[in-house]
Amino acid sequence: MSHPFALSDLLELEPFRRCKPEVMCGQHLVHRPVRWVHTSELAEAAALLKGEELLLTSGLGLVGRGGPGLRAYVAALGERRASLGLELGWTFAAVPDEMLEAGREYDVPVIALHEIVPFVELAEAGQEAILTRRLATKPPVPNDQASVRARLLRELEDGQVGASSLYRRLTEVGISRRADSYHAIVIRGFRQGFGSALADALGSRPRSHDALTALVSSDVVALVPEEPSQGAGPSLLEYIDDFSRSRGEATTCRIAVSEPGPLMTAAAHLTHCRHALSLAVSLGIKDRILAAPLISARMVLNRLVADALASKLVGEELGALIEHDRRHDTRLVETLQTYLVNGSNIQGTAAALHCSRQSLYRRKETIVRLIGDFDVPERHANLVVALELHALQQRAAGLSR
């Protein structure tokens, strides 16, 4: 039986040999399977990947991102078990040290392409060779529950399961009844080899008889019934951390959670959750629980962050607060953001900021004096967008230093 197509096989193809490829780091990973060849100049290209691809780029989208930005770019590829082919000459004369350091840390093979061959030619040769090998390889028939669940989740995510066959397919994996509403969940950041145990644990936790969980492409993915009494994210992360500690594993997992909806709607949101995890790395967001719609919104704002209108909005809405914080070492911008995030609730905001209500009232008075009444409903949208843009501008400034 043929073996899966590996990175080493790809580099032996004639168009790739003409590139004079040099594996700069990750030589021990050249036998890793490659399921596709992708090209992109986006700094957030990892969000477009499903896993185990070779990404080809000239690095154009990485201009000005600085060392931390280059590390974040490679780290996001590591989460997708992807490899990187960097064409030298257009943007970089040599592979930046930061990319090589991140490649070693996150197990990303980084390949320098010393000669220019059109990416379309490389992609065509790669796709043809991968598909030829795939057709020659007879896939094993799933004969265990974990494989059947993984296949069902993949097909649900891709919209390949019809409503007429859904009940039968769920019954085949031991789910005899459906909940009214589900969250899509994707979990990433665990040690390789621990994913199967984690997926099994999530499927057997209390009140999880209606959940569908499996290890799919190095992520644990799940469709979890909505829990009205508490958010799915916090309760799930607490369970994951407890289970990890009981097995001597690090508590480093991150989870992305969709809005609740019917099972098939939630399944379609699994892709959004994958993107949220990859984008969070690219944007430097360190939260362990990610709301997929919010991350997507931040991605849109990130593309506008350098626009003159974005700077104008931030200046008009927050300029006085930013300047006051800079001059007096205060936290008024943080206070305003926390206040809005907590639904303008004084008690919740004070608890989040670890200050007394009296102190919070004094801060509010100062904010009103500097930028006017921010409790006016028509200002809410402007302030929320301005605060997100300001945070992204600060992050971009940190990446460029």
Side-chain angles (χ1 to χ4, degrees), residues 152 201 204:
L152 176 55
S204 60

Side-chain angles (χ1 to χ4, degrees), residues 91-256:
T91 307
F92 298 106
V95 181
D97 290 340
E98 294 88 352
M99 297 183 81
L100 295 178
E101 291 168 4
R104 297 184 189 102
E105 181 177 351
Y106 295 100
D107 283 339
V108 178
V110 178
I111 301 137
L113 306 178
H114 291 283
E115 297 293 336
I116 295 174
V117 174
F119 282 169
V120 64
E121 189 175 343
L122 298 176
E124 279 184 354
Q127 321 298 38
E128 182 178 356
I130 291 168
L131 289 172
T132 299
R133 178 71 60 84
R134 193 175 296 167
L135 289 171
T137 304
K138 186 177 180 180
V141 177
N143 57 3
D144 63 90
Q145 199 75 330
S147 298
V148 175
R149 282 175 172 258
R151 184 176 65 176
L152 176 55
L153 275 163
R154 282 194 296 267
E155 293 178 0
L156 281 168
E157 181 177 354
D158 293 338
Q160 297 176 357
V161 179
S164 60
S165 62
L166 180 59
Y167 178 78
R168 174 180 59 80
R169 297 291 302 276
L170 290 173
T171 303
E172 289 174 355
V173 296
I175 298 177
S176 58
R177 63 186 182 88
R178 274 182 285 165
D180 294 329
S181 184
Y182 286 80
H183 291 281
I185 306 282
V186 177
I187 305 166
R188 194 176 294 169
F190 44 81
R191 176 184 60 80
Q192 186 176 358
F194 184 58
S196 295
L198 182 56
D200 290 344
L202 290 178
S204 60
R205 72 188 183 117
R207 302 185 305 280
S208 66
H209 55 278
D210 294 328
L212 181 59
T213 65
L215 180 65
V216 179
S217 300
S218 75
D219 290 332
V220 170
V221 301
L223 297 173
V224 178
E226 182 182 8
E227 301 177 21
S229 60
Q230 55 184 324
S235 63
L236 196 59
L237 185 61
E238 181 181 6
Y239 181 85
I240 291 169
D241 283 351
D242 288 344
F243 179 75
S244 298
R245 281 190 287 265
S246 72
R247 295 296 186 92
E249 298 287 336
T251 54
T252 56
C253 290
R254 302 176 81 180
I255 66 175

Side-chain angles (χ1 to χ4, degrees), residues 335 339 345-351 353 355-365:
T335 298
Y339 179 75
N345 181 277
I346 289 291
Q347 184 172 347
T349 304
L353 292 171
C355 69
S356 67
R357 287 192 293 179
Q358 289 75 15
S359 175
L360 179 57
Y361 280 123
R362 287 194 294 272
R363 292 190 201 182
K364 278 194 66 179
E365 290 172 0

Side-chain angles (χ1 to χ4, degrees), residues 325-339:
D325 281 350
R326 186 185 69 80
R327 287 178 175 274
H328 303 284
D329 194 27
T330 50
R331 299 164 55 195
L332 297 183
V333 172
E334 179 190 2
T335 298
L336 177 59
Q337 184 168 30
T338 306
Y339 179 75

